[in-house]
Each structure stands twice: as C-alpha cells, then as structure tokens.
Amino acid sequence: MATKKKIAVVPGDGIGKEVVPAALDVVRATGAAVEFTEFDWSADRYLKDGTTIPADGFAMLQRDFDAVFVGALGDPRVPTNIHAKEILLGMRFTMDLYANVRPVKLLDESLCPLKGVKPEDVDFVVVRENTEGPYMDAGGVLKKDTPDEVAIQEEFHTVERIIRFAFELAKKQGRKKVLMADKSNAMTISGGLWQKVFKLVAAEYPQIQTQHMYIDALCMHLVRDPKQFDVIVTSNIFGDIVTDLAAALQGGLGMAASGNIHPWKTSMFEPVHGSAPPYAGKNIANPIGAIASAAMMLEHLGFVVEAAKISEAILKAVREKKTTQDIGGTLGTRECAGWTAKNL
Ligand code: NAD
Ligand code: IPM
Ligand code: MN
C-alpha cells in the first residue's frame, strides 16, 4: 500500500477552529490516503506562552509534510496581529509560497448579489503574488512618537515567476486569457516592471490571449461584467483586495477557497476568509470555503477523484440549501459539513 500523504493542520483562531475540523471530516469521508497532524499555533498559544511558531517550524513543515491546511489567524486579544503575521505570512514568505491561487466560481445564481448573473458567468482564477509588494514590511519610521512622525513602507516586485505561473495555470486548466492588473499609470516604477515582464512572458504563450487593466478599472469591470474574466494575475496587495470583492460574487467570504503554492515545495491551503470573531464558537460559519480549499489540496496531492467528489457534493449542498445561513440555508457549520461528507 502506498504511504499516506502527511498533512499539517493549523486551525488557528476564531472560526478557523470550526471550519477546519468540518473540512477534515469531509476529507476523511473521501477515503483519501492522508494523515493529519494538528498544531496549536494560534492566539491562544501565543497568549499562553508567547510562542507564535517554533524556531524550526517552517523547516519542519517543508521537511516532514506534503501539505499544510490552515483555518484562519487573527484575534482581537492580539491587537498587533503579531502571531498571525508570524504564522500565516511566515508560512507564505519563509516557505516561498509565491502563488496564491484563488478560484472564483459561482455555484448557484441565488448566491450572486448581481442581477441576472448566471453560474457560467463567474468562473475565473485570481493568481495573486504572495511574497512581495508592501507585505515585506520593509521601510522605517522617523521621529517616532512625535507630531512629525513619518513612515516609509517600501515595496519589492520581482514579477516574472508569478506571471509565468499564471500562464502555466491557464495552459493546464485550458483557459484562454490572462489579464494582468496593476497601477502602472501612477506607480510607474513597479508598474513599469509588471508591464515589461508581462509582455516578455506572454510572447512565450502565443496561444493564450492577453489583456491589461488598471486595478481600479478591474474592480469596476468585475462587478459590471464578470463573464469576461478567465485568469487574472496581480500583485500581493491588489490581489488581496480584489479577491474579497471576487468572493462576494460567489456568495461571500464563506465560499472562497485558496492555495498558497510553490510548484515543487510543500504548499499551504486555506479558506480566503479570516477568523470572523463575531461568528466564532457559534457553529454558524460557512465551512464551504474551507472544504473547497481541502479539495484544492487533495487535487494538488494527486487525489483527483476525491477532490472532484468533494466539488460535486458542495454543488449539491448549495443547490439543495444544505448550507449555513449566510448563503440561505438553515444548517450549522458541523451539519453542513456532515451533510456534504455523507453526500460524496
Ligand atoms: P473575516 O474574513 O474574518 O470576516 C469578515 C466578514 O465576512 C465576517 O464578519 C462575515 O460576515 C463574513 N465571513 C467571513 N468568513 C465567513 C464564513 N466562513 N461564513 C460566513 N461568513 C463569513 O475578515 P475580518 O473581519 O476583516 O478579519 C477578522 C480577523 O481575521 C482579523 O484579525 C484579520 O486580520 C484576520 N484575517 C485572517 C485571514 C487568514 O488567516 N487568512 C484572512 C482574512 C482576515
Ligand atoms: C488574506 C488575508 C491576509 C492577507 C491578512 C490576514 C494578512 O487578508 O489571506 O487574504 O492580507 O493576505
Ligand atoms: Mn484578504
């Protein structure tokens, strides 16, 4: 018998602690040959002993695991967000998970807040750069705690590998168009590089159409006519913002899935949403974003049939309203996941 794939699980904070076990139940029900090891890296742990992630934590994940599954990190009791930064952004940066892949798919017309938009009108993927931009937190503060305090937040952009990743994803998924979004009309330094590299890489993929939009216009067009989009590649900060908007097109943050990918290193999968503190501990959080992220993880690990079964069961749950209140159902987090697991 083949050895089981090893998955490190970090439920984290708030609703992360509810949607993760719910999603793992669905994975177990597929029978995929995986085993889970849970880590308590979270606000609770940080407040108890000051640990965010152990010294060799990231190296251990890379060495000992095939994938990492995360819930959410963020807790009002840690106002600096330091634990979330060190654990979540720590994984993305230290493990070099440079491609944040966020599929946007409308499963049922009733879930879209836009008039007359059908499921086939919302089916695209945002490829968000995941290790650079202003998230590097480079820069500094001058004249701290004086009335003249100033802050400099620098950005880093290397660009090529994320653009190449987007074209490769388009090719693999049989998608026809890659759109690059930037703000090169105002931010000419980084925007100039995005423009130049996009053209150079695009020339290697003549079978794929290319397009450019400024990020502000992209936000407008996503609402006005989401049908035109196929693959969108953009920077870390723009990708963060635009994927919350895109989540709304598919029924809200509770529905949105993601993979933080390095093509040949241990990758991490998580729902797009955060810890939603007002929802925590009430069994009301929508587990579908987490379940769909688990399906992405299974597919990434080669469990293609199991992943497809999960996607079909999610679709059925949505159509039959065996879902949580945010998308029109009456079930709790556990019950929605339980129904999905039984209907694989
Ligand atoms: P959030 O995603 O946690 O929640 C925003 C709103 O979206 C919620 O109030 C709720 O209305 C809705 N929502 C989110 N997830 C839902 C779900 N599963 N089911 C139903 N509705 C859902 O964003 P926020 O309130 O801005 O952030 C809360 C905390 O989470 C902050 O500390 C933030 O930094 C952190 N955060 C973490 C991640 C992550 O771990 N990847 C992502 C985003 C935010
Ligand atoms: C996300 C989140 C994170 C981000 C936060 C929690 C740092 O919003 O995963 O989209 O900005 O990347
Ligand atoms: Mn975000």
Side-chain angles (χ1 to χ4, degrees):
M1 204 180 84
T3 54
K4 290 183 174 175
K5 295 281 185 195
K6 294 186 168 56
I7 298 170
V9 178
V10 182
D13 301 325
I15 62 168
K17 288 193 275 200
E18 296 166 72
V19 297
V20 163
L24 297 190
D25 281 348
V26 179
V27 173
R28 281 191 197 96
T30 66
V34 294
E35 63 182 34
F36 304 115
T37 306
E38 192 169 315
F39 295 91
D40 67 349
W41 306 332
S42 61
D44 283 344
R45 169 80 186 263
Y46 175 68
L47 291 167
K48 199 161 65 194
D49 66 10
T51 321
T52 56
I53 185 147
D56 72 333
F58 301 122
M60 183 262 304
L61 293 177
Q62 297 268 23
R63 190 183 58 231
D64 298 342
F65 291 92
D66 297 296
V68 185
F69 190 62
V70 172
L73 288 142
D75 187 304
R77 294 171 300 164
V78 186
T80 56
N81 212 31
I82 181 71
H83 72 296
K85 209 172 151 200
E86 290 190 8
I87 299 165
L88 179 76
L89 297 183
M91 278 183 208
R92 291 180 186 169
F93 298 170
T94 313
M95 294 163 72
D96 203 21
L97 307 176
Y98 66 89
N100 195 329
V101 177
R102 297 185 158 184
V104 184
K105 200 166 160 48
L106 177 62
L107 299 184
D108 191 79
E109 192 171 342
S110 65
L111 266 51
C112 188
L114 306 178
K115 272 187 296 199
V117 170
K118 307 239 168 334
E120 59 270 25
D121 297 337
V122 181
D123 180 6
F124 60 93
V125 183
V126 179
V127 176
R128 165 189 177 189
E129 204 295 323
N130 211 28
T131 56
E132 303 179 349
Y135 278 67
M136 301 283 304
D137 232 4
V141 172
L142 207 60
K143 301 188 186 174
K144 192 164 172 53
D145 296 332
T146 74
D148 298 328
E149 180 167 339
V150 290
I152 297 174
Q153 183 101 36
E154 293 169 332
E155 299 203 4
F156 288 76
H157 296 264
T158 63
V159 185
E160 184 184 346
R161 62 182 183 169
I162 192 64
I163 289 181
R164 198 172 287 285
F165 186 99
F167 278 97
E168 285 296 324
L169 178 137
K171 210 165 101 179
K172 199 167 136 209
Q173 296 191 359
R175 292 181 179 270
K176 295 188 174 54
K177 186 160 76 176
V178 176
L179 179 146
M180 188 274 277
D182 65 15
K183 191 66 194 167
S184 53
N185 48 353
M187 298 159 69
T188 53
I189 301 170
S190 58
L193 187 63
W194 276 86
Q195 290 281 341
K196 181 163 69 183
V197 175
F198 185 61
K199 287 194 187 87
L200 284 171
V201 176
E204 296 176 33
Y205 298 86
Q207 73 282 20
I208 295 174
Q209 295 169 44
T210 59
Q211 199 182 350
H212 169 260
M213 277 185 192
Y214 297 122
I215 188 69
D216 47 351
L218 173 63
C219 290
M220 182 272 292
H221 286 293
L222 277 169
V223 174
R224 200 188 53 81
D225 177 25
K227 194 176 180 175
Q228 63 185 295
F229 299 104
D230 208 358
V231 176
I232 296 171
V233 62
T234 191
S235 66
N236 202 346
I237 183 84
F238 295 152
D240 178 44
I241 296 165
V242 98
T243 52
D244 265 31
L245 190 158
L249 298 177
Q250 55 182 144
L253 274 167
M255 297 298 291
S258 79
N260 299 255
I261 313 280
H262 187 295
W264 59 88
K265 292 184 183 171
T266 300
S267 294
M268 184 266 274
F269 298 81
E270 53 167 347
V272 173
H273 65 72
S275 55
Y279 284 50
K282 297 181 179 157
N283 194 38
I284 56 174
N286 186 346
I288 291 181
I291 297 170
S293 303
M296 283 179 80
M297 175 174 73
L298 288 183
E299 190 179 345
H300 183 84
L301 294 174
F303 299 105
V304 178
V305 174
E306 291 84 348
K309 276 188 189 163
I310 294 181
S311 301
E312 280 163 33
I314 290 174
L315 186 61
K316 210 165 151 205
V318 167
R319 288 195 177 139
E320 298 186 21
K321 294 215 181 305
K322 303 294 184 194
T323 55
T324 46
Q325 291 166 29
D326 55 305
I327 56 164
T330 54
L331 300 185
T333 309
R334 282 188 295 272
E335 292 70 27
C336 170
W339 192 92
T340 309
K342 280 202 195 74
N343 285 272
L344 287 168

